[in-house]
Amino acid sequence: QTIRSWALSQSNQPVVIVPPHSEFIGNLVVTPDGSQVVRGLKSQQIGFFQIESGELARVSEPLSTPIVPIALDESGQTLACLRGSGILDVLNVVDFSVLGTKTGLSETSCVAFFPGRPWLAIGSGNDIIVWDYESEEEVTKWEAHEFAVGNLRFSGDGERLYSSSISGAYGVQI
């Protein structure tokens, strides 16, 4: 599996090609400074790889189950990961401690960190759940789409959440 970096202001050639990995790369999570890629490993660890060299910069201790990183917050210090069926963990990336766990999710493929709050928007099947990972309480839940939610993004000011699915786009006022 290969990861490529593209400079939007340059030609159509990649600027950096991270050396191939032996494992499938599903979701691509990049640190806010653009220096590292975060991946779940077959060894049930989370690895941070340097983009320029492909070298493993640091790795977590083995976790209890395979884990798929899916999003970092804007500071790069908090990581949302899927673990097992219907389980989402929020981890502190400094020591990989669990900050919160949400269970009972269906078909979760996307999350978005709320700017400036300990909240995640979670696409769970056709629904969107806004969840406070510190208190582990649901803030709100919307029946958002006819089909599974595929993407979630907050506006820069945090006032609007955008979601999409194959059924069409949907904007939600927060």
Side-chain angles (χ1 to χ4, degrees):
Q1 302 296 326
T2 304
I3 299 169
R4 294 188 171 135
S5 171
W6 303 86
L8 298 179
S9 62
Q10 303 199 0
S11 71
N12 61 354
Q13 297 300 313
V15 177
V16 175
I17 301 175
V18 176
H21 294 268
S22 60
E23 301 172 29
F24 174 74
I25 299 168
N27 290 312
L28 183 63
V29 178
V30 178
T31 57
D33 66 3
S35 69
Q36 297 179 334
V37 173
V38 185
R39 297 203 30 244
L41 306 174
K42 284 183 185 175
S43 57
Q44 298 181 195
Q45 295 171 293
I46 298 170
F48 283 71
F49 292 84
Q50 292 298 122
I51 287 181
E52 295 292 330
S53 67
E55 295 292 319
L56 181 62
R58 63 191 191 97
V59 66
S60 72
E61 292 296 319
L63 304 164
S64 59
T65 58
I67 196 159
V68 179
I70 56 174
L72 271 169
D73 73 346
E74 59 197 14
S75 73
Q77 298 300 304
T78 309
L79 178 67
C81 301
L82 293 175
R83 176 176 55 89
S85 180
I87 302 170
L88 181 123
D89 284 329
V90 177
L91 306 175
N92 175 322
V93 301
V94 174
D95 60 6
F96 298 104
S97 60
V98 177
L99 301 174
T101 299
K102 177 76 174 146
T103 59
L105 300 170
S106 64
E107 248 186 284
T108 302
S109 61
C110 60
V111 301
F113 281 93
F114 190 96
R117 291 190 182 174
W119 292 1
L120 272 178
I122 304 167
S124 179
N126 305 359
D127 299 330
I128 297 172
I129 299 166
V130 177
W131 178 63
D132 182 322
Y133 57 84
E134 287 182 350
S135 69
E136 297 193 3
E137 298 289 327
E138 283 188 14
V139 176
T140 192
K141 182 177 179 177
W142 297 293
E143 294 178 16
H145 290 279
E146 184 179 342
F147 299 100
V149 177
N151 284 293
L152 292 167
R153 297 289 182 268
F154 280 100
S155 60
D157 61 7
E159 294 295 316
R160 191 169 289 272
L161 173 66
Y162 298 94
S163 66
S164 67
S165 108
I166 61 171
S167 67
Y170 185 72
V172 178
Q173 187 74 30
I174 298 297

